[in-house]
Amino acid sequence: MPRPGLRFVAAALSLALGAAAGNGTAHAFSGGNHERITRAALPWESRSLTAMADADSGAIVANDKGSYFDQGFLHCDNADYLDSRYGPNYPRTREQANTELIACIRGSVTRFKQAVAAADGLVDADGKVKPREVDLNTPCAWNEQPDRAKCTVYENLGRGWHAIEDFYSHSNWADEASPYPIGVHNPPGLKKETLPEFFSVRRYSAMSEREWTQDATSHIPLDLSTGCYPDLESTHKRADCTGRTTHDNDLSKDTMSYNRSRIDSNFDRAVQGATNDVKRQWQDFQDELRQRYGSRGDTMICALTHDDPAHTCS
């Protein structure tokens, strides 16, 4: 698996996993691409960054392990829709698509709040780093069980950011369609370079469920779509992709091997969009820690970004 500095290994891994992805055995940015995006977004010290971003064992790929892989809303799947001006009788309404996208956003909002709460355990009441809580000498488990505070913060951030990264590879937000007629298998591309307002995770974390859901829904474009994948929807029923825009054949940009990736610069747009959004999410998280915890927040940020915070951050 890729390691810091060996970017050519990451590229090779991406191509290797891409071949598998093209056969329908994966439905998220490959681990190598999740690592590439996360490393590009976070200016952290080496061991801390590896704990978050490693393609095989980092927090950023925890949602691709075990039963989490089958939860479509953890990967922003199944928010597919095609407006009637492109063809009649699409089997999903805009409202149904919105429900799946809102479920994806909700996961990231929840993880943000849990990460902020867990950060309180990084330092004591006097603002001193707790050495045991920031130790990375043994791997974090990413199993939702009580762990060192640094591991718990990373797990929640990594799981929340994973869905946001996947949104760019699974949707038509930043890409463009092929030159052929728009339809179920060639949905329109929005080709947006801006970050979506509906992933205003920090702002939503301070709002009621009803308020932020209304706000997020108001920012969802009519033609936004993510691909259908036969995993569990937010209703916990497995998606039936018959007659729908699919992940594998129609929209995925998880690796360069997918059809949609090969159109113009779609793959690069997905990677850049995801990188920019993780930068936004990390800045917003830092701002929240400073607002919530005052001067202790700066020490928490130092503890999360430095490899030996017990000596360098107190």
Side-chain angles (χ1 to χ4, degrees), residues 43-46 48 150 154 282 300-307:
W44 298 2
E45 291 189 350
S46 177
S48 297
K150 189 166 182 173
Y154 279 8
W282 170 236
M300 294 171 187
I301 294 165
C302 184
L304 292 169
T305 59
H306 286 68
D307 292 344

Side-chain angles (χ1 to χ4, degrees), residues 131-154:
R132 181 188 177 281
E133 297 298 328
V134 299
D135 178 54
L136 290 179
N137 287 321
T138 57
C140 300
W142 319 135
N143 62 2
E144 308 271 23
Q145 299 302 309
D147 204 337
R148 290 149 286 167
K150 189 166 182 173
C151 293
T152 302
V153 174
Y154 279 8

Side-chain angles (χ1 to χ4, degrees), residues 27-31 34 61-66 68-69 75 162 166:
H27 73 118
F29 264 133
S30 70
H34 275 296
V61 295
N63 278 2
D64 283 341
K65 308 294 184 181
Y68 294 96
F69 183 84
H75 309 277
H162 180 100
D166 275 355

Side-chain angles (χ1 to χ4, degrees), residues 104-114 201 204-205 212:
C104 178
I105 299 166
R106 182 181 296 111
S108 293
V109 172
T110 300
R111 292 293 183 179
F112 180 94
K113 292 193 286 189
Q114 291 174 342
V201 173
Y204 289 167
S205 72
W212 77 252

Side-chain angles (χ1 to χ4, degrees), residues 61-102:
V61 295
N63 278 2
D64 283 341
K65 308 294 184 181
S67 62
Y68 294 96
F69 183 84
D70 294 325
Q71 309 293 318
F73 44 93
L74 300 183
H75 309 277
C76 277
D77 293 334
N78 304 316
D80 54 293
Y81 174 71
L82 188 71
D83 188 63
S84 59
R85 69 190 192 278
Y86 298 121
N89 304 320
Y90 192 76
R92 301 276 281 193
T93 65
R94 180 69 263 172
E95 289 72 23
Q96 288 173 312
N98 290 352
T99 295
E100 296 307 316
L101 184 58
I102 292 295

Side-chain angles (χ1 to χ4, degrees), residues 31-297:
N33 285 320
H34 275 296
E35 176 167 348
R36 170 189 174 189
I37 290 162
T38 309
R39 286 188 179 279
L42 303 176
W44 298 2
E45 291 189 350
S46 177
R47 282 197 302 141
S48 297
L49 185 54
T50 295
M52 172 59 76
D54 184 79
D56 181 60
S57 60
I60 198 65
V61 295
N63 278 2
D64 283 341
K65 308 294 184 181
S67 62
Y68 294 96
F69 183 84
D70 294 325
Q71 309 293 318
F73 44 93
L74 300 183
H75 309 277
C76 277
D77 293 334
N78 304 316
D80 54 293
Y81 174 71
L82 188 71
D83 188 63
S84 59
R85 69 190 192 278
Y86 298 121
N89 304 320
Y90 192 76
R92 301 276 281 193
T93 65
R94 180 69 263 172
E95 289 72 23
Q96 288 173 312
N98 290 352
T99 295
E100 296 307 316
L101 184 58
I102 292 295
C104 178
I105 299 166
R106 182 181 296 111
S108 293
V109 172
T110 300
R111 292 293 183 179
F112 180 94
K113 292 193 286 189
Q114 291 174 342
V116 170
D120 192 33
L122 295 166
V123 302
D124 63 23
D126 296 323
K128 299 295 184 181
V129 172
K130 298 179 182 178
R132 181 188 177 281
E133 297 298 328
V134 299
D135 178 54
L136 290 179
N137 287 321
T138 57
C140 300
W142 319 135
N143 62 2
E144 308 271 23
Q145 299 302 309
D147 204 337
R148 290 149 286 167
K150 189 166 182 173
C151 293
T152 302
V153 174
Y154 279 8
E155 179 168 13
N156 281 290
L157 290 179
R159 290 188 186 278
W161 292 346
H162 180 100
I164 294 172
E165 291 182 7
D166 275 355
F167 168 77
Y168 289 90
S169 62
H170 295 181
S171 78
N172 62 345
W173 177 265
D175 74 9
E176 63 178 304
S178 79
Y180 300 105
I182 298 297
V184 172
H185 301 299
N186 185 36
L190 303 185
K191 206 173 180 180
K192 290 184 178 289
E193 297 180 357
T194 56
L195 299 177
E197 285 292 323
F198 49 74
F199 269 119
S200 298
V201 173
R202 183 193 179 206
R203 183 162 64 87
Y204 289 167
S205 72
M207 298 167 65
S208 71
E209 173 91 5
R210 181 182 62 82
E211 289 173 327
W212 77 252
T213 298
Q214 288 179 343
D215 185 89
T217 302
S218 73
H219 291 294
I220 298 174
L222 174 64
D223 288 334
L224 180 67
S225 184
T226 75
C228 181
Y229 190 89
D231 51 14
L232 298 175
E233 298 184 304
S234 61
T235 58
H236 300 283
K237 293 181 180 179
R238 197 160 289 278
D240 178 3
C241 295
T242 304
R244 294 166 61 179
T245 298
T246 65
H247 169 280
D248 281 351
N249 294 324
D250 304 323
L251 263 183
S252 177
K253 294 165 290 292
D254 289 339
T255 72
M256 277 298 297
S257 73
Y258 283 95
N259 295 331
R260 192 82 167 190
S261 293
R262 300 191 186 103
I263 300 170
D264 197 13
S265 301
N266 280 349
F267 178 76
D268 291 338
R269 290 194 190 102
V271 168
Q272 190 60 59
T275 303
N276 290 342
D277 215 333
V278 173
K279 288 180 180 179
R280 165 175 66 162
Q281 302 301 333
W282 170 236
Q283 184 59 59
D284 284 353
F285 185 71
Q286 294 176 84
D287 292 344
E288 182 68 17
L289 292 185
R290 292 186 177 107
Q291 178 177 314
R292 178 79 61 90
Y293 298 111
S295 61
R296 293 175 69 231

